[in-house]
Structure formats: C-alpha cells, structure tokens
C-alpha cells in the first residue's frame, strides 16, 4: 500500500473514534472494538507511516481497566523513552468531547513526581523542561 493509502486508513480510524467513543464509554471496557482501534489499529497505522519503525514504540490507550476521558496514541523514540511516564514523546491526544484530536509533544511526569518531594517542585521541573523544548524547537 502506498503512503497515501496508509493516511486514508489512519483518517478512517480516527473518524471511528470520533463517532463511537462517547457511546463506547457507556459499554463494557474489556475487549471493546473501539478500545482495540486505539490500542492496536491506530498504533499500526502510525507504524506503517514511519521509516525505521524499529526505532520506535507505538502505543495507544483507551484507559486501564476503565475508559479514559481522553484516549491517546503515542510514538515513543526508544532512545528517549518507551512509556508515557518518563522522557518526552509525540502523541495524538483526543479531546474529551471527541470533537478533535491534537498532535502534541508531551513529557512524562510520573518519574519526575516520584523523584521530587512535592507537587510544586514537580511542576517547576516540568515547566523548565517545557521551556527548554520550546527553545530548541522554536
């Protein structure tokens, strides 16, 4: 399949999330087809669009045990991180009302929070890193 075909499939899967996610949240979470689109299909769509996909980990989430309000699909550069808890990564983050999706550069906060003594210090570190990222990206 050519790249344009992969983009069409990605778009179709995103539209399925927009159209069905809010209703799905009122249904049983385990093995739900909408959660499968987030966890498996969208991740595979992004992998198919990526050169050297072995350098990356592709992960989507509809929640852990229960539906999340803002599902996401992330691409982790394995040299930087392999999870949403540490480092930084790009992520498609769906709006809670399912009226849009953001492509965002996010940073993990769990590891930082576990290494600091209070929330103020965690926020200070995250703000500093965000400022550094903005400076580097301009």
């Amino acid at each position: 399949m050519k790249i344009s075909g992969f983009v069409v499939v990605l778009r179709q899967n995103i539209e399925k999330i927009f159209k069905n996610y809010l209703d799905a949240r009122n249904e049983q979470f385990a093995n739900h087809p909408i959660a499968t689109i987030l966890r498996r299909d969208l991740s595979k769509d992004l992998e198919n669009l990526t050169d050297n996909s072995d350098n990356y980990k592709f992960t989507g989430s509809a929640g852990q045990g229960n539906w999340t309000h803002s599902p996401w699909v992330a691409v982790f550069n394995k040299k930087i991180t392999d999870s949403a808890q540490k480092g930084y990564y790009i992520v498609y983050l769906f709006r809670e009302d399912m009226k849009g999706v953001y492509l965002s550069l996010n940073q993990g906060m769990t590891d930082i929070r576990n290494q600091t003594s209070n929330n103020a210090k965690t926020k200070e570190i995250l703000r500093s890193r965000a400022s550094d990222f903005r400076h580097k990206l301009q």
Side-chain angles (χ1 to χ4, degrees), residues 15 34 87 96 134 136:
E15 288 174 354
I34 292 300
E96 188 172 336
R134 281 191 294 277
K136 287 179 182 176

Side-chain angles (χ1 to χ4, degrees), residues 102-120:
Y102 300 97
L103 179 59
S104 175
L105 178 62
N106 279 21
Q107 56 179 321
M109 67 176 278
T110 303
D111 275 4
I112 296 168
R113 185 176 45 216
N114 291 341
Q115 296 172 20
T116 59
S117 56
N118 60 55
N119 284 342

Side-chain angles (χ1 to χ4, degrees), residues 48-68:
N48 288 332
L49 290 169
T50 307
D51 291 334
N52 303 316
S53 62
D54 290 342
N55 296 334
Y56 304 96
K57 178 180 174 185
F58 303 85
T59 303
S61 180
Q64 294 182 354
N66 291 306
W67 294 100
T68 183

